[in-house]
Coordinates of all heavy atoms in Angstrom, one line a residue:
Chain M
V2 N 16.7 7.7 0.1 CA 15.6 7.3 -0.8 C 14.3 7.8 -0.4 O 13.9 7.7 0.8 CB 15.6 5.6 -0.6 CG1 14.4 5.1 -1.4 CG2 16.9 5.0 -1.1
Q3 N 13.6 8.4 -1.4 CA 12.3 9.0 -1.0 C 11.5 9.3 -2.2 O 12.1 9.4 -3.4 CB 12.5 10.2 -0.1 CG 13.2 11.4 -0.9 CD 13.2 12.7 0.0 OE1 13.1 12.6 1.3 NE2 13.6 13.8 -0.5
V4 N 10.2 9.3 -2.0 CA 9.2 9.8 -3.1 C 8.4 10.9 -2.5 O 8.0 10.8 -1.3 CB 8.4 8.6 -3.6 CG1 9.3 7.6 -4.3 CG2 7.6 7.9 -2.6
E5 N 7.9 11.8 -3.3 CA 7.2 12.9 -2.8 C 6.0 13.3 -3.8 O 6.3 13.5 -4.9 CB 8.0 14.1 -2.5 CG 7.3 15.4 -1.9 CD 8.1 16.5 -1.6 OE1 9.3 16.4 -1.9 OE2 7.6 17.4 -1.1
E6 N 4.8 13.2 -3.3 CA 3.6 13.4 -4.1 C 3.3 14.9 -4.2 O 3.5 15.7 -3.2 CB 2.4 12.7 -3.6 CG 2.6 11.3 -3.4 CD 3.1 10.9 -1.9 OE1 3.7 11.7 -1.3 OE2 2.9 9.7 -1.6
S7 N 2.7 15.3 -5.2 CA 2.2 16.8 -5.4 C 0.9 16.7 -6.3 O 0.7 15.7 -7.0 CB 3.2 17.7 -5.9 OG 3.7 17.2 -7.2
G8 N 0.2 17.8 -6.3 CA -1.0 18.0 -7.2 C -2.3 17.8 -6.7 O -3.3 18.0 -7.3
G9 N -2.4 17.4 -5.3 CA -3.7 17.2 -4.8 C -4.5 18.7 -4.7 O -3.8 19.7 -4.9
G10 N -5.8 18.5 -4.4 CA -6.6 19.7 -4.2 C -7.9 19.4 -4.2 O -8.4 18.3 -4.0
V11 N -8.8 20.5 -4.1 CA -10.3 20.4 -4.2 C -10.7 20.5 -5.7 O -10.4 21.6 -6.4 CB -10.9 21.5 -3.3 CG1 -12.4 21.3 -3.4 CG2 -10.3 21.3 -1.9
V12 N -11.6 19.6 -6.1 CA -12.0 19.6 -7.5 C -13.5 19.2 -7.5 O -14.0 18.5 -6.6 CB -11.2 18.7 -8.4 CG1 -11.2 17.3 -7.9 CG2 -11.5 18.8 -9.9
Q13 N -14.3 19.7 -8.4 CA -15.7 19.4 -8.6 C -15.8 18.0 -9.2 O -15.0 17.6 -10.1 CB -16.4 20.5 -9.4 CG -16.5 21.8 -8.8 CD -17.1 22.9 -9.7 OE1 -17.0 22.9 -10.9 NE2 -17.9 23.8 -9.0
P14 N -16.9 17.4 -8.9 CA -17.2 16.1 -9.7 C -17.2 16.3 -11.2 O -17.8 17.3 -11.7 CB -18.6 15.8 -9.2 CG -18.7 16.4 -7.8 CD -18.0 17.7 -7.9
G15 N -16.7 15.3 -11.9 CA -16.6 15.4 -13.3 C -15.3 16.0 -13.8 O -15.0 15.8 -15.0
K16 N -14.6 16.8 -13.0 CA -13.4 17.4 -13.5 C -12.2 16.4 -13.4 O -12.3 15.3 -13.1 CB -13.2 18.6 -12.5 CG -14.3 19.7 -12.6 CD -14.6 20.3 -14.0 CE -15.5 21.4 -14.0 NZ -15.7 22.0 -15.4
S17 N -11.0 17.0 -13.8 CA -9.9 16.2 -13.8 C -8.8 16.8 -12.9 O -8.8 18.0 -12.5 CB -9.4 16.3 -15.2 OG -10.2 15.7 -16.2
L18 N -7.8 16.0 -12.6 CA -6.7 16.4 -11.8 C -5.6 15.5 -12.1 O -5.7 14.3 -12.3 CB -7.1 16.3 -10.3 CG -6.2 17.1 -9.3 CD1 -6.5 18.5 -9.5 CD2 -6.7 16.8 -7.7
R19 N -4.3 16.1 -12.0 CA -3.2 15.2 -12.2 C -2.2 15.3 -11.1 O -1.8 16.2 -10.6 CB -2.4 15.8 -13.5 CG -1.2 14.8 -13.9 CD -0.6 15.5 -15.1 NE 0.5 14.7 -15.7 CZ 0.3 13.7 -16.6 NH1 -0.9 13.4 -17.0 NH2 1.5 13.0 -17.0
L20 N -1.9 14.1 -10.5 CA -0.9 14.0 -9.4 C 0.4 13.6 -10.0 O 0.5 12.9 -11.0 CB -1.4 12.8 -8.4 CG -2.9 13.0 -7.9 CD1 -3.1 11.9 -7.0 CD2 -3.1 14.3 -7.3
S21 N 1.5 14.0 -9.4 CA 2.8 13.7 -9.7 C 3.5 13.2 -8.5 O 3.2 13.5 -7.3 CB 3.5 14.9 -10.2 OG 3.0 15.3 -11.4
C22 N 4.5 12.4 -8.7 CA 5.3 11.8 -7.7 C 6.8 11.9 -8.1 O 7.2 11.4 -9.2 CB 5.0 10.4 -7.4 SG 6.1 9.4 -6.4
A23 N 7.6 12.6 -7.4 CA 9.0 12.7 -7.6 C 9.9 11.8 -6.8 O 9.7 11.8 -5.7 CB 9.4 14.2 -7.5
A24 N 10.8 11.1 -7.5 CA 11.6 10.1 -6.8 C 13.0 10.6 -6.6 O 13.5 11.4 -7.6 CB 11.6 8.7 -7.5
S25 N 13.6 10.3 -5.6 CA 15.1 10.7 -5.5 C 15.8 9.7 -4.6 O 15.2 8.9 -3.8 CB 15.2 12.0 -4.8 OG 14.6 12.1 -3.6
G26 N 17.1 9.6 -4.7 CA 17.9 8.7 -4.0 C 18.0 7.2 -4.4 O 18.7 6.4 -3.7
F27 N 17.5 6.9 -5.5 CA 17.6 5.5 -6.0 C 17.4 5.6 -7.6 O 17.0 6.6 -8.1 CB 16.4 4.7 -5.5 CG 15.1 5.0 -5.7 CD1 14.4 4.4 -6.7 CD2 14.4 5.9 -5.0 CE1 13.1 4.7 -7.0 CE2 13.1 6.3 -5.2 CZ 12.4 5.6 -6.2
I28 N 17.7 4.4 -8.2 CA 17.8 4.3 -9.6 C 16.3 4.1 -10.1 O 15.8 3.0 -10.2 CB 18.6 3.2 -10.2 CG1 20.1 3.5 -9.7 CG2 18.7 3.1 -11.7 CD1 21.0 2.3 -9.9
F29 N 15.7 5.1 -10.3 CA 14.2 5.2 -10.7 C 13.8 4.2 -11.8 O 12.8 3.5 -11.6 CB 13.7 6.5 -11.0 CG 12.2 6.7 -11.2 CD1 11.4 6.6 -10.2 CD2 11.8 6.8 -12.5 CE1 9.9 6.9 -10.4 CE2 10.5 6.9 -12.8 CZ 9.5 7.0 -11.7
S30 N 14.5 4.1 -12.8 CA 14.2 3.5 -14.0 C 14.2 1.9 -13.9 O 13.7 1.2 -14.8 CB 15.2 3.8 -15.2 OG 16.5 3.4 -14.8
V31 N 14.6 1.4 -12.7 CA 14.5 -0.1 -12.6 C 13.4 -0.6 -11.6 O 13.2 -1.7 -11.4 CB 15.9 -0.7 -12.1 CG1 17.0 -0.3 -13.1 CG2 16.2 -0.2 -10.7
Y32 N 12.6 0.4 -11.1 CA 11.6 0.1 -10.1 C 10.2 0.3 -10.6 O 10.0 1.3 -11.3 CB 11.8 0.9 -8.9 CG 12.9 0.5 -8.0 CD1 14.2 1.1 -8.2 CD2 12.9 -0.4 -7.0 CE1 15.3 0.7 -7.5 CE2 13.8 -0.8 -6.2 CZ 15.1 -0.2 -6.5 OH 16.1 -0.6 -5.6
G33 N 9.3 -0.6 -10.3 CA 7.9 -0.4 -10.5 C 7.4 0.8 -9.6 O 8.0 0.9 -8.4
M34 N 6.3 1.3 -10.0 CA 5.8 2.4 -9.1 C 4.2 2.2 -9.1 O 3.6 1.8 -10.0 CB 6.1 3.8 -9.6 CG 7.6 4.1 -9.6 SD 8.4 4.1 -8.0 CE 7.6 5.5 -7.3
H35 N 3.7 2.6 -7.9 CA 2.3 2.5 -7.8 C 1.6 3.6 -7.0 O 2.3 4.4 -6.4 CB 2.1 1.2 -6.9 CG 2.5 0.0 -7.4 ND1 1.7 -0.9 -8.1 CD2 3.7 -0.6 -7.4 CE1 2.3 -1.9 -8.5 NE2 3.7 -1.8 -8.1
W36 N 0.4 3.8 -7.2 CA -0.6 4.8 -6.5 C -1.4 3.9 -5.6 O -2.1 2.9 -6.1 CB -1.3 5.7 -7.4 CG -0.4 6.7 -8.0 CD1 0.2 6.5 -9.4 CD2 0.0 7.9 -7.6 NE1 0.9 7.7 -9.6 CE2 0.8 8.6 -8.6 CE3 -0.2 8.6 -6.4 CZ2 1.3 9.8 -8.3 CZ3 0.3 9.9 -6.2 CH2 1.1 10.4 -7.3
V37 N -1.5 4.3 -4.4 CA -2.4 3.7 -3.4 C -3.2 4.9 -2.7 O -2.6 6.0 -2.4 CB -1.7 3.0 -2.3 CG1 -2.6 2.4 -1.2 CG2 -0.9 1.8 -3.0
R38 N -4.5 4.7 -2.5 CA -5.3 5.7 -1.8 C -6.0 5.2 -0.6 O -6.1 4.1 -0.3 CB -6.3 6.3 -2.8 CG -7.5 5.3 -3.1 CD -8.4 6.1 -4.1 NE -9.5 5.2 -4.6 CZ -10.3 5.6 -5.5 NH1 -10.2 6.6 -6.3 NH2 -11.3 4.7 -5.9
Q39 N -6.4 6.3 0.2 CA -7.0 6.0 1.5 C -8.1 7.0 1.8 O -7.8 8.2 2.0 CB -6.0 5.9 2.7 CG -6.6 5.5 3.9 CD -5.6 5.1 5.0 OE1 -4.6 5.7 5.1 NE2 -5.7 4.0 5.8
A40 N -9.3 6.5 1.6 CA -10.5 7.5 1.8 C -10.5 7.8 3.4 O -10.1 6.9 4.2 CB -11.8 6.9 1.4
P41 N -11.1 8.9 3.8 CA -11.2 9.2 5.2 C -11.8 8.2 6.1 O -12.9 7.6 5.8 CB -12.1 10.4 5.1 CG -11.9 11.0 3.8 CD -11.7 9.9 2.8
G42 N -11.0 7.7 7.0 CA -11.5 6.6 8.0 C -11.6 5.2 7.4 O -12.1 4.3 8.0
K43 N -11.1 5.1 6.2 CA -11.0 3.6 5.5 C -9.8 3.1 5.3 O -8.7 3.7 5.8 CB -11.7 3.9 4.1 CG -13.1 4.5 4.1 CD -14.1 3.6 4.8 CE -15.5 4.2 4.8 NZ -16.6 3.4 5.5
G44 N -9.7 1.9 4.8 CA -8.4 1.2 4.5 C -7.7 1.6 3.3 O -8.2 2.5 2.6
L45 N -6.6 0.8 3.1 CA -5.8 1.2 2.0 C -6.4 0.6 0.6 O -7.0 -0.6 0.8 CB -4.4 0.6 2.1 CG -3.7 1.1 3.3 CD1 -2.3 0.4 3.5 CD2 -3.4 2.6 3.1
E46 N -6.5 1.3 -0.5 CA -6.9 0.7 -1.7 C -5.9 1.0 -2.8 O -5.4 2.1 -3.0 CB -8.1 1.5 -2.2 CG -8.7 1.0 -3.5 CD -9.9 1.7 -4.1 OE1 -10.2 2.8 -3.5 OE2 -10.5 1.2 -4.9
W47 N -5.3 -0.1 -3.4 CA -4.4 0.0 -4.5 C -5.1 0.6 -5.6 O -6.3 0.1 -5.9 CB -3.8 -1.4 -4.8 CG -2.9 -1.4 -6.0 CD1 -1.7 -1.1 -6.0 CD2 -3.3 -1.7 -7.4 NE1 -1.1 -1.2 -7.3 CE2 -2.2 -1.5 -8.2 CE3 -4.5 -2.1 -8.0 CZ2 -2.0 -1.8 -9.5 CZ3 -4.5 -2.2 -9.4 CH2 -3.3 -2.2 -10.1
V48 N -4.5 1.5 -6.3 CA -5.3 2.2 -7.4 C -4.7 1.9 -8.8 O -5.4 1.7 -9.7 CB -5.1 3.8 -7.2 CG1 -5.7 4.5 -8.4 CG2 -5.7 4.2 -5.9
A49 N -3.4 2.0 -8.9 CA -2.8 1.8 -10.2 C -1.3 1.5 -10.0 O -0.5 2.0 -9.1 CB -2.9 3.0 -11.1
G50 N -0.6 0.8 -11.1 CA 0.7 0.5 -11.0 C 1.4 0.5 -12.4 O 0.7 0.2 -13.4
T51 N 2.7 0.7 -12.4 CA 3.4 0.6 -13.7 C 4.7 -0.1 -13.4 O 5.3 0.1 -12.5 CB 3.6 2.0 -14.4 OG1 4.5 1.8 -15.4 CG2 4.3 2.9 -13.3
G52 N 5.1 -0.9 -14.4 CA 6.3 -1.6 -14.3 C 7.5 -0.6 -14.6 O 7.2 0.6 -15.0
Y53 N 8.8 -1.1 -14.4 CA 9.8 -0.1 -14.5 C 10.0 0.5 -15.9 O 10.4 1.7 -16.1 CB 11.2 -0.9 -14.2 CG 11.5 -1.9 -15.3 CD1 12.4 -1.6 -16.4 CD2 11.1 -3.2 -15.2 CE1 12.8 -2.4 -17.4 CE2 11.4 -4.1 -16.2 CZ 12.3 -3.7 -17.3 OH 12.6 -4.6 -18.2
D54 N 9.5 0.0 -17.0 CA 9.5 0.5 -18.4 C 8.2 0.9 -18.9 O 8.1 1.2 -20.0 CB 10.2 -0.4 -19.2 CG 9.5 -1.7 -19.5 OD1 8.4 -1.9 -18.8 OD2 9.8 -2.6 -20.2
A55 N 7.2 0.9 -18.0 CA 5.9 1.3 -18.3 C 5.1 0.5 -19.4 O 4.1 0.8 -19.9 CB 5.9 2.8 -18.9
S56 N 5.7 -0.7 -19.6 CA 5.1 -1.7 -20.6 C 4.0 -2.4 -19.9 O 3.1 -3.0 -20.6 CB 6.1 -2.5 -21.2 OG 6.7 -3.4 -20.2
D57 N 4.0 -2.5 -18.6 CA 3.2 -3.3 -17.8 C 2.4 -2.4 -16.8 O 3.1 -1.8 -16.0 CB 3.9 -4.4 -16.9 CG 3.1 -5.1 -16.0 OD1 1.9 -5.4 -16.3 OD2 3.6 -5.5 -14.9
K58 N 1.1 -2.2 -17.0 CA 0.3 -1.3 -16.1 C -0.9 -2.0 -15.7 O -1.5 -2.9 -16.4 CB -0.1 0.0 -17.0 CG 1.0 0.8 -17.5 CD 0.6 2.0 -18.2 CE 1.7 2.9 -18.6 NZ 1.4 4.0 -19.4
G59 N -1.4 -1.6 -14.5 CA -2.7 -2.2 -14.0 C -3.4 -1.1 -13.3 O -2.8 -0.2 -12.8
Y60 N -4.7 -1.4 -13.2 CA -5.7 -0.4 -12.6 C -6.7 -1.2 -11.8 O -7.2 -2.4 -12.1 CB -6.4 0.4 -13.6 CG -5.5 1.2 -14.4 CD1 -5.0 0.7 -15.7 CD2 -5.1 2.5 -14.1 CE1 -4.2 1.5 -16.5 CE2 -4.3 3.3 -14.9 CZ -3.7 2.8 -16.1 OH -3.0 3.6 -16.8
A61 N -7.1 -0.5 -10.7 CA -8.2 -1.1 -9.9 C -9.5 -0.9 -10.7 O -9.6 0.0 -11.5 CB -8.4 -0.3 -8.6
D62 N -10.5 -1.8 -10.6 CA -11.7 -1.7 -11.3 C -12.4 -0.4 -11.1 O -13.1 0.1 -12.0 CB -12.6 -2.8 -11.0 CG -12.1 -4.2 -11.5 OD1 -11.3 -4.2 -12.4 OD2 -12.7 -5.2 -11.0
S63 N -12.2 0.1 -9.9 CA -12.9 1.5 -9.6 C -12.5 2.6 -10.3 O -13.2 3.6 -10.3 CB -12.8 1.7 -7.9 OG -11.4 1.7 -7.7
V64 N -11.3 2.5 -10.9 CA -10.8 3.7 -11.6 C -10.5 3.3 -13.1 O -10.1 4.3 -13.8 CB -9.5 4.2 -11.0 CG1 -9.8 4.5 -9.5 CG2 -8.4 3.3 -11.2
K65 N -10.6 2.1 -13.5 CA -10.4 1.7 -14.9 C -11.1 2.5 -15.9 O -12.3 2.7 -15.7 CB -10.6 0.3 -15.0 CG -9.8 -0.4 -16.2 CD -10.0 -2.0 -16.1 CE -9.3 -2.6 -14.9 NZ -9.4 -4.0 -14.9
G66 N -10.5 3.1 -16.9 CA -11.1 4.0 -17.9 C -11.2 5.5 -17.5 O -11.4 6.2 -18.3

Side-chain angles (χ1 to χ4, degrees):
Chain M
V2 174
Q3 60 182 19
V4 296
E5 184 174 3
E6 307 90 342
S7 61
V11 180
V12 61
Q13 293 178 328
K16 299 296 187 180
S17 300
L18 201 62
R19 186 178 182 87
L20 305 183
S21 291
C22 171
S25 60
F27 63 96
I28 303 173
F29 180 76
S30 60
V31 303
Y32 287 90
M34 297 296 296
H35 299 263
W36 289 94
V37 176
R38 68 184 181 184
Q39 188 166 36
K43 302 297 184 182
L45 301 174
E46 179 186 16
W47 177 84
V48 173
T51 176
Y53 69 95
D54 63 354
S56 62
D57 174 35
K58 298 180 183 179
Y60 298 91
D62 286 346
S63 58
V64 307
K65 204 172 290 183

